[in-house]
Amino acid sequence: MNITKPTLLLNEQKCRLNIEKMIARSKHLNSSLRPHFKTHQSKKVGEWFKEYGIDKCAVSSLEMAKYFYNAGWVDVTVAFPLNVLEYTTVNDLAGKIKLSLCIESLETVQLLNDFLEHPIGVFLKIDAGYHRTGLDAENFEKIEPILQALKSNPLITIKGFLQHAGHTYRAKGKKEINKIHAHTSEKMIRLKNHFQNQYPDLIISNGDTPTCSVSENFEHIDEMRPGNFVFYDVMQAEIGSCGYEDIAVAMACPVVAKHPDRNEVIIYGGAIHFSKDQIQKDGQTIYGLIAEPERKGWGQPKEGWFVKKLSQEHGTLHVPDQDFDSIKIGDLLYILPIHSCLTANLMSKYYTLDGEGIEMFRYQS
Amino acid sequence: MNITKPTLLLNEQKCRLNIEKMIARSKHLNSSLRPHFKTHQSKKVGEWFKEYGIDKCAVSSLEMAKYFYNAGWVDVTVAFPLNVLEYTTVNDLAGKIKLSLCIESLETVQLLNDFLEHPIGVFLKIDAGYHRTGLDAENFEKIEPILQALKSNPLITIKGFLQHAGHTYRAKGKKEINKIHAHTSEKMIRLKNHFQNQYPDLIISNGDTPTCSVSENFEHIDEMRPGNFVFYDVMQAEIGSCGYEDIAVAMACPVVAKHPDRNEVIIYGGAIHFSKDQIQKDGQTIYGLIAEPERKGWGQPKEGWFVKKLSQEHGTLHVPDQDFDSIKIGDLLYILPIHSCLTANLMSKYYTLDGEGIEMFRYQS
């Protein structure tokens, strides 16, 4: 493969291993796996899941649901608060597939009732501690009338309670992840138990890659819905969800300038390729790590190297003294992204290490 | 126009006014305008420039140069350190248009000499204080041999010294912008003077929207190369480059959830639509402002409202108490982006207020 500009490489073997491991975990933990496809956004990677027997997925928009429907996915949960303005797409998809939506207010249920023409499943989006969005898991008084309103619509099957413990992204290590997981699970189980008599078939669906990757107790958590694990990234490695060797994507970027006086190298590779997510480590803001090149693909992060700044197309790398002279203009460096979801979203294709181009969904405004 | 999901609106009238004003400034300041097209990345917006007599532009990648060549632009500067791996594209374009490239090392010149087949212009990328990349404006000893190496190649015309004073993005108000501008201009002029006898035709090309928008002294600055001014954004308004009324783009985003208990509203509109650039204001991190809707388009920012968090598709808005009850699920809100360049780059189209779709360049990996 002749790489001449920022190119997102996908190590298929690592990716498949991540998929296999998560499937094995879901079986071992007795929690059904509905992988979130918003990370890879690709029909081809979806097919890899199918090869291992996965036949349902979650997505983050109705448009993405349509993309995966066109790739043969007929059991899809849109794990995002329903955007009522897209009612045409809802009806279109609901007429064709097992579509599940998330709602979190009576106001939305009323709007939904006004336009819905085909059967759908509905999850109540629950906030069990992340505080981004969702109904407070402990506010039964607010949840009850919403369940009743949903029940009164014969086109709606109430599926259960769905939450995303995004606060595990701020955790460090298995212990902290488990603490958050225990806390959110306890709330979700209490919620389910409260409504068990009236609504005996409701399930609990939990997201977030950290808990799904490391937590051992998924008792009563009927469904797990991780997404990022398919690629992982620097953020997940730092949280402790994976090892650096599990990261399945890297951006190959050309060196365009060198500044030995301040130990900096400029790559063609900026915010329009990586996005601007960053982590703080040892008092330093880090926008990416640089991996050792291998005969085919890449290995562990290079000791002491990191992306210290990103602007539109420029990436500024810090390179230790002893490595500086080895770098030449036109070299390709492998950058491990901080957040693979946002990085993948910015690119139009993946390339496998064999040079196969893999298309992906792109948001069409 | 039926907007149902995050949609980037472009107020053509404001945009044309921004273009007209910058052209008037460049004439008044006697500095030639070569607008940077990396902000709008659109053939159509390029045509608006042409209507006012502009026939040259700057871009940030060779691929973008190709896109604008296909739209009839035949005098293009790639204002980014030459990526030698794209030598095929360089030769392809150099055979067709007046192409100028930026280099900043002898190493790059040698690689360029090895592959160049057609005439090109070359700028020396100069660092006059921003310290992202470029040759130190005061290091004549380092610059001299590079000029000599360029001179020895008959295919190369040395165009001059090009710099981007990106540190004006950290300025506040005209006084601070002018101070940076005076400092960088002085360095650039000294550099030009030093080499004037040997290279009498070299020009100085300065970028950055803040100085081009407000500074009054462009004596000896032969060319101005601003890009962002075509749309402006919240960051530029806060710097003082423009007023809020000059911002020519806004993202229309649907309301999907409300949290009155914590004065938060969730919109469909996240990092995949806006990017994650932010500003700090009154101790608060701000990812966007919300504009007053008008009969057609939008007006000033709503007092006390702001985007306080962005994740992949979620935007979290802070809304003052007194305004909260007016918001309904399914409302469209107009979000003014922090950084219009990165926001535009994420979208596939603009829509004018008359509903006309405007295509743009997309990076193809």
Side-chain angles (χ1 to χ4, degrees), chain A residues 290-326:
Chain A
I290 295 88
E292 293 287 352
E294 290 191 347
R295 201 183 53 77
K296 197 171 178 179
W298 61 87
Q300 289 288 319
K302 283 169 175 280
E303 192 70 44
W305 294 48
F306 59 91
V307 183
K308 69 188 280 190
K309 223 172 80 182
L310 288 175
S311 48
Q312 192 157 344
E313 296 85 5
H314 296 75
T316 304
L317 272 49
H318 172 84
V319 175
D321 264 339
Q322 66 274 19
D323 297 328
F324 205 93
D325 291 340
S326 67

Short mmCIF file of all heavy atoms in Angstrom, two decimals, chain A residues 290-326:
data_model
loop_
_atom_site.label_atom_id
_atom_site.label_comp_id
_atom_site.label_asym_id
_atom_site.label_seq_id
_atom_site.Cartn_x
_atom_site.Cartn_y
_atom_site.Cartn_z
N ILE A 290 2.54 7.71 19.77
CA ILE A 290 3.17 7.25 18.54
C ILE A 290 3.63 5.82 18.77
O ILE A 290 4.33 5.54 19.75
CB ILE A 290 4.35 8.18 18.17
CG1 ILE A 290 3.82 9.58 17.85
CG2 ILE A 290 5.10 7.64 16.95
CD1 ILE A 290 3.71 10.50 19.04
N ALA A 291 3.20 4.92 17.89
CA ALA A 291 3.51 3.50 18.10
C ALA A 291 4.77 3.09 17.34
O ALA A 291 5.09 3.66 16.30
CB ALA A 291 2.33 2.65 17.65
N GLU A 292 5.45 2.09 17.89
CA GLU A 292 6.61 1.52 17.20
C GLU A 292 6.14 0.89 15.90
O GLU A 292 5.16 0.14 15.89
CB GLU A 292 7.24 0.41 18.07
CG GLU A 292 7.88 0.86 19.36
CD GLU A 292 9.20 1.60 19.14
OE1 GLU A 292 9.70 1.64 18.00
OE2 GLU A 292 9.70 2.17 20.14
N PRO A 293 6.81 1.15 14.80
CA PRO A 293 6.45 0.48 13.57
C PRO A 293 6.90 -0.99 13.63
O PRO A 293 7.90 -1.30 14.28
CB PRO A 293 7.24 1.24 12.50
CG PRO A 293 8.38 1.84 13.23
CD PRO A 293 7.96 2.06 14.65
N GLU A 294 6.13 -1.84 13.02
CA GLU A 294 6.54 -3.25 12.94
C GLU A 294 6.56 -3.66 11.48
O GLU A 294 6.11 -2.92 10.62
CB GLU A 294 5.60 -4.12 13.77
CG GLU A 294 5.78 -3.88 15.25
CD GLU A 294 5.06 -4.90 16.13
OE1 GLU A 294 4.20 -5.65 15.60
OE2 GLU A 294 5.34 -4.94 17.35
N ARG A 295 7.07 -4.84 11.22
CA ARG A 295 7.19 -5.29 9.83
C ARG A 295 5.83 -5.12 9.15
O ARG A 295 5.73 -4.67 8.02
CB ARG A 295 7.63 -6.76 9.79
CG ARG A 295 8.26 -7.21 8.48
CD ARG A 295 8.60 -8.69 8.53
NE ARG A 295 7.43 -9.49 8.91
CZ ARG A 295 6.43 -9.79 8.09
NH1 ARG A 295 6.42 -9.36 6.86
NH2 ARG A 295 5.41 -10.53 8.53
N LYS A 296 4.80 -5.48 9.86
CA LYS A 296 3.45 -5.25 9.34
C LYS A 296 2.63 -4.63 10.47
O LYS A 296 2.33 -5.30 11.46
CB LYS A 296 2.85 -6.59 8.90
CG LYS A 296 1.66 -6.42 7.98
CD LYS A 296 1.21 -7.74 7.37
CE LYS A 296 -0.01 -7.52 6.52
NZ LYS A 296 -0.48 -8.76 5.88
N GLY A 297 2.29 -3.37 10.31
CA GLY A 297 1.49 -2.72 11.35
C GLY A 297 2.35 -2.03 12.39
O GLY A 297 3.40 -1.50 12.09
N TRP A 298 1.87 -2.05 13.66
CA TRP A 298 2.52 -1.26 14.70
C TRP A 298 2.49 -2.04 16.01
O TRP A 298 1.70 -2.97 16.17
CB TRP A 298 1.81 0.08 14.87
CG TRP A 298 0.37 -0.08 15.27
CD1 TRP A 298 -0.12 -0.21 16.55
CD2 TRP A 298 -0.77 -0.21 14.40
NE1 TRP A 298 -1.48 -0.39 16.52
CE2 TRP A 298 -1.90 -0.39 15.22
CE3 TRP A 298 -0.93 -0.18 13.01
CZ2 TRP A 298 -3.19 -0.55 14.70
CZ3 TRP A 298 -2.21 -0.33 12.49
CH2 TRP A 298 -3.32 -0.52 13.33
N GLY A 299 3.33 -1.59 16.95
CA GLY A 299 3.40 -2.26 18.25
C GLY A 299 3.06 -1.32 19.39
O GLY A 299 2.10 -0.56 19.31
N GLN A 300 3.85 -1.36 20.44
CA GLN A 300 3.61 -0.56 21.65
C GLN A 300 3.93 0.92 21.39
O GLN A 300 4.65 1.25 20.45
CB GLN A 300 4.49 -1.08 22.79
CG GLN A 300 4.07 -2.44 23.34
CD GLN A 300 2.79 -2.37 24.15
OE1 GLN A 300 2.58 -1.44 24.93
NE2 GLN A 300 1.91 -3.36 23.96
N PRO A 301 3.41 1.81 22.25
CA PRO A 301 3.75 3.24 22.11
C PRO A 301 5.25 3.46 22.32
O PRO A 301 5.86 2.80 23.17
CB PRO A 301 2.96 3.91 23.24
CG PRO A 301 1.93 2.93 23.65
CD PRO A 301 2.47 1.57 23.36
N LYS A 302 5.81 4.38 21.57
CA LYS A 302 7.21 4.75 21.73
C LYS A 302 7.37 5.51 23.04
O LYS A 302 6.66 6.49 23.28
CB LYS A 302 7.65 5.66 20.58
CG LYS A 302 7.92 4.96 19.26
CD LYS A 302 8.06 6.02 18.17
CE LYS A 302 8.44 5.43 16.83
NZ LYS A 302 9.88 5.14 16.70
N GLU A 303 8.34 5.11 23.82
CA GLU A 303 8.61 5.72 25.12
C GLU A 303 8.96 7.21 24.97
O GLU A 303 9.91 7.55 24.27
CB GLU A 303 9.78 4.96 25.76
CG GLU A 303 10.03 5.24 27.23
CD GLU A 303 8.93 4.67 28.12
OE1 GLU A 303 8.49 3.51 27.91
OE2 GLU A 303 8.49 5.42 29.01
N GLY A 304 8.18 8.06 25.62
CA GLY A 304 8.52 9.49 25.66
C GLY A 304 8.01 10.31 24.47
O GLY A 304 8.13 11.53 24.47
N TRP A 305 7.43 9.65 23.48
CA TRP A 305 6.89 10.38 22.33
C TRP A 305 5.40 10.66 22.58
O TRP A 305 4.68 9.81 23.11
CB TRP A 305 6.96 9.55 21.06
CG TRP A 305 8.30 9.21 20.51
CD1 TRP A 305 9.36 8.71 21.20
CD2 TRP A 305 8.71 9.30 19.14
NE1 TRP A 305 10.41 8.48 20.35
CE2 TRP A 305 10.03 8.83 19.06
CE3 TRP A 305 8.08 9.71 17.97
CZ2 TRP A 305 10.74 8.78 17.87
CZ3 TRP A 305 8.78 9.65 16.78
CH2 TRP A 305 10.10 9.20 16.72
N PHE A 306 4.93 11.80 22.16
CA PHE A 306 3.48 12.04 22.20
C PHE A 306 3.08 13.20 21.29
O PHE A 306 3.94 14.01 20.90
CB PHE A 306 2.97 12.28 23.63
CG PHE A 306 3.61 13.44 24.34
CD1 PHE A 306 3.05 14.70 24.27
CD2 PHE A 306 4.77 13.27 25.08
CE1 PHE A 306 3.62 15.78 24.92
CE2 PHE A 306 5.37 14.36 25.72
CZ PHE A 306 4.79 15.60 25.65
N VAL A 307 1.80 13.25 20.94
CA VAL A 307 1.27 14.39 20.18
C VAL A 307 0.91 15.46 21.20
O VAL A 307 0.06 15.24 22.06
CB VAL A 307 0.02 13.99 19.36
CG1 VAL A 307 -0.46 15.18 18.53
CG2 VAL A 307 0.31 12.78 18.47
N LYS A 308 1.57 16.62 21.12
CA LYS A 308 1.35 17.64 22.16
C LYS A 308 0.41 18.74 21.73
O LYS A 308 -0.08 19.49 22.57
CB LYS A 308 2.69 18.22 22.65
CG LYS A 308 3.45 19.07 21.66
CD LYS A 308 4.85 19.43 22.19
CE LYS A 308 4.86 20.58 23.18
NZ LYS A 308 6.25 21.02 23.46
N LYS A 309 0.13 18.83 20.42
CA LYS A 309 -0.78 19.89 19.94
C LYS A 309 -1.38 19.47 18.62
O LYS A 309 -0.74 18.75 17.84
CB LYS A 309 0.02 21.19 19.76
CG LYS A 309 -0.68 22.43 20.27
CD LYS A 309 0.21 23.67 20.24
CE LYS A 309 0.32 24.30 18.88
NZ LYS A 309 1.22 25.48 18.85
N LEU A 310 -2.60 19.89 18.37
CA LEU A 310 -3.22 19.65 17.07
C LEU A 310 -3.86 20.95 16.62
O LEU A 310 -4.60 21.59 17.37
CB LEU A 310 -4.33 18.59 17.17
CG LEU A 310 -3.95 17.13 17.39
CD1 LEU A 310 -5.22 16.30 17.58
CD2 LEU A 310 -3.13 16.57 16.24
N SER A 311 -3.60 21.36 15.40
CA SER A 311 -4.44 22.39 14.80
C SER A 311 -5.06 21.77 13.54
O SER A 311 -5.07 20.55 13.41
CB SER A 311 -3.68 23.69 14.55
OG SER A 311 -2.45 23.46 13.92
N GLN A 312 -5.62 22.59 12.66
CA GLN A 312 -6.46 22.00 11.59
C GLN A 312 -5.78 20.81 10.88
O GLN A 312 -6.31 19.71 10.86
CB GLN A 312 -6.90 23.07 10.60
CG GLN A 312 -8.00 22.58 9.66
CD GLN A 312 -8.83 23.71 9.06
OE1 GLN A 312 -8.82 24.84 9.53
NE2 GLN A 312 -9.59 23.41 8.02
N GLU A 313 -4.61 21.02 10.31
CA GLU A 313 -3.91 19.91 9.62
C GLU A 313 -2.58 19.57 10.25
O GLU A 313 -1.96 18.59 9.87
CB GLU A 313 -3.64 20.23 8.14
CG GLU A 313 -4.84 20.40 7.28
CD GLU A 313 -5.38 21.82 7.35
OE1 GLU A 313 -4.73 22.66 8.01
OE2 GLU A 313 -6.44 22.09 6.78
N HIS A 314 -2.11 20.41 11.18
CA HIS A 314 -0.81 20.19 11.79
C HIS A 314 -0.95 19.35 13.06
O HIS A 314 -1.79 19.64 13.89
CB HIS A 314 -0.16 21.51 12.25
CG HIS A 314 0.18 22.49 11.19
ND1 HIS A 314 -0.75 23.25 10.56
CD2 HIS A 314 1.38 22.87 10.67
CE1 HIS A 314 -0.14 24.07 9.69
NE2 HIS A 314 1.14 23.85 9.73
N GLY A 315 -0.06 18.37 13.21
CA GLY A 315 0.13 17.71 14.49
C GLY A 315 1.54 18.01 14.96
O GLY A 315 2.49 17.89 14.19
N THR A 316 1.67 18.41 16.23
CA THR A 316 3.00 18.69 16.79
C THR A 316 3.37 17.57 17.74
O THR A 316 2.66 17.31 18.71
CB THR A 316 3.01 20.04 17.55
OG1 THR A 316 2.56 21.06 16.67
CG2 THR A 316 4.40 20.37 18.07
N LEU A 317 4.48 16.88 17.45
CA LEU A 317 4.90 15.75 18.27
C LEU A 317 6.07 16.14 19.15
O LEU A 317 6.98 16.85 18.69
CB LEU A 317 5.39 14.60 17.37
CG LEU A 317 4.37 13.60 16.87
CD1 LEU A 317 3.16 14.25 16.29
CD2 LEU A 317 5.02 12.65 15.86
N HIS A 318 6.06 15.67 20.39
CA HIS A 318 7.26 15.74 21.20
C HIS A 318 8.05 14.46 21.00
O HIS A 318 7.51 13.36 21.12
CB HIS A 318 6.91 15.90 22.68
CG HIS A 318 8.12 15.78 23.56
ND1 HIS A 318 8.95 16.84 23.81
CD2 HIS A 318 8.67 14.71 24.19
CE1 HIS A 318 9.95 16.43 24.57
NE2 HIS A 318 9.80 15.15 24.82
N VAL A 319 9.34 14.62 20.71
CA VAL A 319 10.21 13.46 20.47
C VAL A 319 11.43 13.58 21.38
O VAL A 319 12.07 14.63 21.41
CB VAL A 319 10.65 13.42 18.99
CG1 VAL A 319 11.64 12.30 18.75
CG2 VAL A 319 9.44 13.27 18.08
N PRO A 320 11.76 12.52 22.12
CA PRO A 320 12.92 12.60 23.01
C PRO A 320 14.22 12.82 22.23
O PRO A 320 14.35 12.37 21.09
CB PRO A 320 12.94 11.23 23.70
CG PRO A 320 11.59 10.65 23.50
CD PRO A 320 11.09 11.23 22.22
N ASP A 321 15.16 13.48 22.89
CA ASP A 321 16.49 13.77 22.33
C ASP A 321 17.10 12.61 21.53
O ASP A 321 17.47 12.76 20.38
CB ASP A 321 17.47 14.08 23.47
CG ASP A 321 17.58 15.57 23.71
OD1 ASP A 321 17.26 16.34 22.78
OD2 ASP A 321 17.99 15.96 24.82
N GLN A 322 17.18 11.47 22.21
CA GLN A 322 17.95 10.37 21.63
C GLN A 322 17.32 9.80 20.36
O GLN A 322 17.98 9.11 19.59
CB GLN A 322 18.18 9.25 22.67
CG GLN A 322 16.92 8.51 23.12
CD GLN A 322 16.20 9.20 24.29
OE1 GLN A 322 16.42 10.39 24.56
NE2 GLN A 322 15.32 8.47 24.96
N ASP A 323 16.03 10.09 20.15
CA ASP A 323 15.36 9.55 18.96
C ASP A 323 15.30 10.56 17.82
O ASP A 323 14.95 10.21 16.69
CB ASP A 323 13.91 9.15 19.32
CG ASP A 323 13.87 8.04 20.35
OD1 ASP A 323 14.79 7.20 20.35
OD2 ASP A 323 12.92 8.01 21.15
N PHE A 324 15.62 11.81 18.13
CA PHE A 324 15.31 12.87 17.18
C PHE A 324 15.99 12.70 15.82
O PHE A 324 15.35 12.83 14.77
CB PHE A 324 15.64 14.25 17.78
CG PHE A 324 14.83 15.33 17.14
CD1 PHE A 324 13.63 15.73 17.68
CD2 PHE A 324 15.22 15.89 15.93
CE1 PHE A 324 12.83 16.68 17.06
CE2 PHE A 324 14.44 16.84 15.29
CZ PHE A 324 13.25 17.23 15.86
N ASP A 325 17.27 12.36 15.87
CA ASP A 325 18.03 12.32 14.61
C ASP A 325 17.60 11.19 13.68
O ASP A 325 17.93 11.20 12.48
CB ASP A 325 19.53 12.22 14.91
CG ASP A 325 20.05 13.51 15.52
OD1 ASP A 325 19.38 14.55 15.36
OD2 ASP A 325 21.11 13.47 16.17
N SER A 326 16.87 10.24 14.21
CA SER A 326 16.43 9.11 13.36
C SER A 326 15.26 9.51 12.45
O SER A 326 14.94 8.81 11.49
CB SER A 326 15.99 7.94 14.25
OG SER A 326 14.82 8.30 14.97
#
